[in-house]
Amino acid sequence: MKPRIIGFLCEWCAARALENLAFCHPELPVGFQPFRINCTGSLELEVVIKALTEADGVLVAGCPPGECHFREGNLRAGLRLKALKRVLSALGEDLRRLRIIWLSSGEGERLGEEIHKFYRELSLEDRGS
Amino acid sequence: MKVKIFFCECGGNISENLDLKALKKELTSSGTEIFQHPFLCSPEGQAFFEARILPGEGVLVGACSPHLHGPIFKELSEKRRAQAFHLVALREEAAWLGKKGAYRRAMGLLKGALRALSYYRAPVLKKFPVTEGLLVIGGGIAGLSAALKAAEKGLPVYLVEREPFFGGKAVFLDRLYPRLECASCLVSPRLSALIQQENLHLFPLTHVFEVKGRPGAYEVTLEERPRYVDSERCHGCGECLRVCPVNPPAITMDPPHPVPRAPVIHAARCLHFRGESCSRCKEVCTRKAIRFEQTPRLHRLKVGGIIVATGFRPYPAEKIPYYGYKRLPGVITLWDLERMFTRQENIYGFNGESPRRVAVIHCVGSRDRRHLPYCSEICCSLALKAGILLRERLSAEVYHFYLDLRLKTPEGEGLLRRAKEEGIQFIRGQVAEISEVPLTPEDEGRLTLLAEDTLGSEQRVWAVDLVVLVPGFVPETGSEEMASLLRLCPDRFGFFSPREEKTAPVETLRKGIWIAGAASGPKDLSESVLSGEAAALEALLFLETPSFWAETDWIEWEDRRCGRCWLCVEVCPFKALHIDLERLKVEETLCCGCGLCASACPSGALRMKPFPREAHLQSLEVLFGET
């Protein structure tokens, strides 16, 4: 079975948030596949597009504004992904499939909620993942 | 390249949630060799790991988070001259995220990583020199403990404090829990030691303006606000304090043990700065130490490491309107009370007289979803102590309103017994409202306090004269700025997160930056001293080595592909790239390997190490292509 959602997680916040969440042993949707990246700013759009063409949804999670490990990687990512969304919308793509969130390493619970919410919004649960 | 996979069972944490046998079976069929160990991070496991790596091979470790033991495995495989290294967090990203998806997630991680490994390009290890100096931000008890220890060992230390005096909040505590010993008797020797250390440089009224550079060689700019008093000349006689005509005085020397021993002029209150011709303090000063002409000064320092000890502040109780703080007279916080005690001020209740009945309210804002969802742990003991002092000094009736009493140290229970023997009442329940409307005509001039008593299962009303609110702890103002200056990761409450809470509590994710004291979460005095000294030890270990090894050479530039748009140069947040005769040059001491340049390059002329774009694309390919 293929993954349904690819979660690009920034090594310094979102991936750590997932680690913190993991200590509570949550039950995450089966189709959610974490994918560690060095910084959301280093995530190339080519990679995001590749994931979008294959998966049902793509989650990009980076540090909150002002807290980037590399000063401004999250801001760059924010700008780039916003631009990508405009292109996707012009192409008639479903914009709900690309979700961008900013969260700090302590916000594991929120990450879990966001993943479940994303799943629900794309109504993936009922398709039996 | 031949790749060997190492699975760690993590003592069952991984192996019980994940079918390692099946994973092995599926992966061995693709021709890789797989090893498994119950604890790969143990000394035995490490030996097992090291012995099985041959030069030139690729290594893939499936264990816990790379932030935990990643560096250990990486160093071992480098030692064995492995060609490529990758680690996936099988524990956090597969085993612990629900049994149903565990196998699939693990397979995805492993197969993706295996594919990515074939694109691995090792960064180059290089030696970087370390500058000797240490910057300590925050002159509270944690910061000064750290600064003293490091200076004692001979390091040049720069201690920065935003306030005019050192000592932080500890100097404004009157007595200490649990033995009720005098706080300034314990803190002041440390403060005196500050002045005596020769290689310790003090910067009061100073904030950190800019931080540049890299671990081992930071360039820091400090901005020192004017004190308007020359602390070299002043000998702290205090004559000037007596002549200031403004109320509250514009020239003050507040703490019971001021360091530096020179007053400070508050320009906002001072008549001289408000255009009047007052200079009484200047006239009375025999040492000619008053300097109205002082201006802000910039200091530029070179240091090797930074200790952040910015501390906490009490949660602003005015955010809880029904307690009436800053609205009703006679409603104060514990910190106001401590200040009054240290200054030996008289304590007045709602009606301006000495209070007959005092309510001490615990957990103000704490354990409340709308305010602070956490417990600050040490406020109970502070509150208990304050209650006893109020009882003994004012012979007032004291009521504690608490949710749960959390008293630290073995002596805590003894203190609680003492409080109960002295007739202090403990009511378990939350206070719903404090109002100035008297309960009965006889209670005119008293505050009315409405609270639940959960042990008596009833709602009760009291007439009280003084209310002491005991707020929880939040990070000090300005710690957000500090986080962005130093690029530290705060947790969701704003406290700085250590690299690992339990085993590396004073280290941060940044090499060369450590945290001490309540900046990383509520701490009492002894814990603050402990963490300060622990941070000093880490700093010494790092700063006393002349150099350290670090990975560099993160990007490869391809001349033929480059369109010379130089977007990369523009994008680099560390100004590590520059153009030299139409060629891209990387300043390796500045480059952090973030990869912003590579992702900005429109022609793909930049390749990141260790994993370039193709590695990510190929990992995705595997995730979707197979099975």
Side-chain angles (χ1 to χ4, degrees), chain B residues 219-363:
Chain B
E219 285 167 39
V220 185
T221 312
L222 305 176
E223 190 185 41
E224 187 179 355
R225 300 194 305 285
R227 188 181 200 92
Y228 304 115
V229 176
D230 185 343
S231 39
E232 304 272 297
R233 293 191 77 93
C234 174
H235 58 187
C237 66
E239 279 302 319
C240 50
L241 305 178
R242 282 186 271 278
V243 297
C244 184
V246 189
N247 186 28
I251 181 162
T252 59
M253 193 158 66
D254 257 355
H257 189 92
V259 169
R261 200 171 168 74
V264 58
I265 293 176
H266 305 275
R269 294 208 291 268
C270 178
L271 293 179
H272 178 90
F273 290 102
R274 299 172 72 177
E276 293 183 35
S277 61
C278 175
S279 59
R280 286 177 215 197
C281 48
K282 193 168 181 175
E283 284 153 23
V284 82
C285 181
T286 51
R287 306 275 298 177
K288 299 202 174 1
I290 307 287
R291 293 266 187 277
F292 287 127
E293 67 280 6
Q294 273 186 3
T295 47
R297 277 196 297 169
L298 290 184
H299 302 273
R300 288 199 176 77
L301 308 173
K302 281 198 171 140
V303 293
I306 301 171
I307 292 179
V308 185
T310 45
F312 73 98
R313 71 185 164 120
Y315 184 70
E318 59 270 28
K319 284 196 182 171
I320 311 170
Y322 48 85
Y323 285 158
Y325 182 60
K326 291 203 171 161
R327 179 165 56 86
L328 299 174
V331 179
I332 59 172
T333 67
L334 178 92
W335 300 92
D336 299 331
L337 182 72
E338 293 283 357
R339 246 168 217 264
M340 291 177 185
F341 277 145
T342 47
R343 291 185 192 159
Q344 296 176 334
E345 286 174 15
N346 289 329
I347 293 161
Y348 300 112
F350 178 63
N351 56 3
E353 288 166 25
S354 183
R356 281 174 292 148
R357 189 184 279 163
V358 182
V360 181
I361 304 178
H362 294 224
C363 298

Side-chain angles (χ1 to χ4, degrees), chain B residues 74 78 121-128 214 548-556 586-593 608-610:
Chain B
K74 189 160 187 212
E78 272 162 9
R121 301 284 298 272
V124 179
L125 273 176
K126 224 188 133 180
K127 238 181 183 178
F128 288 98
R214 55 160 185 88
F548 68 97
W549 290 93
E551 288 175 334
T552 62
D553 193 20
W554 296 102
I555 45 175
E556 261 171 44
V586 185
E587 180 57 58
E588 53 189 21
T589 55
L590 297 177
C591 176
C592 296
M608 276 307 295
K609 285 178 183 174

Side-chain angles (χ1 to χ4, degrees), chain B residues 144-155:
Chain B
L144 65 92
S145 302
L148 278 173
K149 286 286 161 191
E152 257 173 59
K153 191 78 203 326
L155 275 188

Side-chain angles (χ1 to χ4, degrees), chain B residues 553-588:
Chain B
D553 193 20
W554 296 102
I555 45 175
E556 261 171 44
W557 175 68
E558 212 176 319
D559 190 355
R560 279 189 316 154
R561 280 200 170 195
C562 178
R564 268 72 176 174
C565 69
W566 308 126
L567 258 181
C568 47
V569 179
E570 214 170 293
V571 149
C572 179
F574 300 94
K575 301 200 167 38
L577 303 178
H578 62 269
I579 312 154
D580 184 20
L581 296 173
E582 290 292 293
R583 296 183 69 81
L584 188 70
K585 289 277 182 285
V586 185
E587 180 57 58
E588 53 189 21

Side-chain angles (χ1 to χ4, degrees), chain A residues 19 36 41 44 50 69 80, chain B residues 65 93 510 599 613 621:
Chain A
E19 286 170 16
R36 258 177 215 257
E44 301 193 26
K50 168 93 183 166
H69 194 73
R80 256 177 223 158
Chain B
S65 157
E93 290 180 11
R510 306 271 170 200
S599 63
R613 166 191 321 112
E621 188 92 355

Side-chain angles (χ1 to χ4, degrees), chain B residues 153-207:
Chain B
K153 191 78 203 326
L155 275 188
V157 180
Y158 308 91
L159 180 59
V160 172
E161 167 61 48
R162 187 172 60 179
E163 300 296 322
F165 302 99
F166 290 89
K169 291 175 195 70
V171 291
F172 287 105
L173 290 177
D174 179 49
R175 301 272 151 171
L176 293 178
Y177 169 90
R179 285 190 220 154
L180 304 189
E181 69 265 62
C182 151
S184 73
C185 307
L186 291 183
V187 179
S188 54
R190 296 215 156 210
L191 282 167
S192 313
L194 277 185
I195 322 168
Q196 282 150 16
Q197 276 294 342
E198 265 181 25
N199 42 342
L200 183 52
H201 309 276
L202 301 179
F203 294 94
L205 282 165
T206 302
H207 69 269

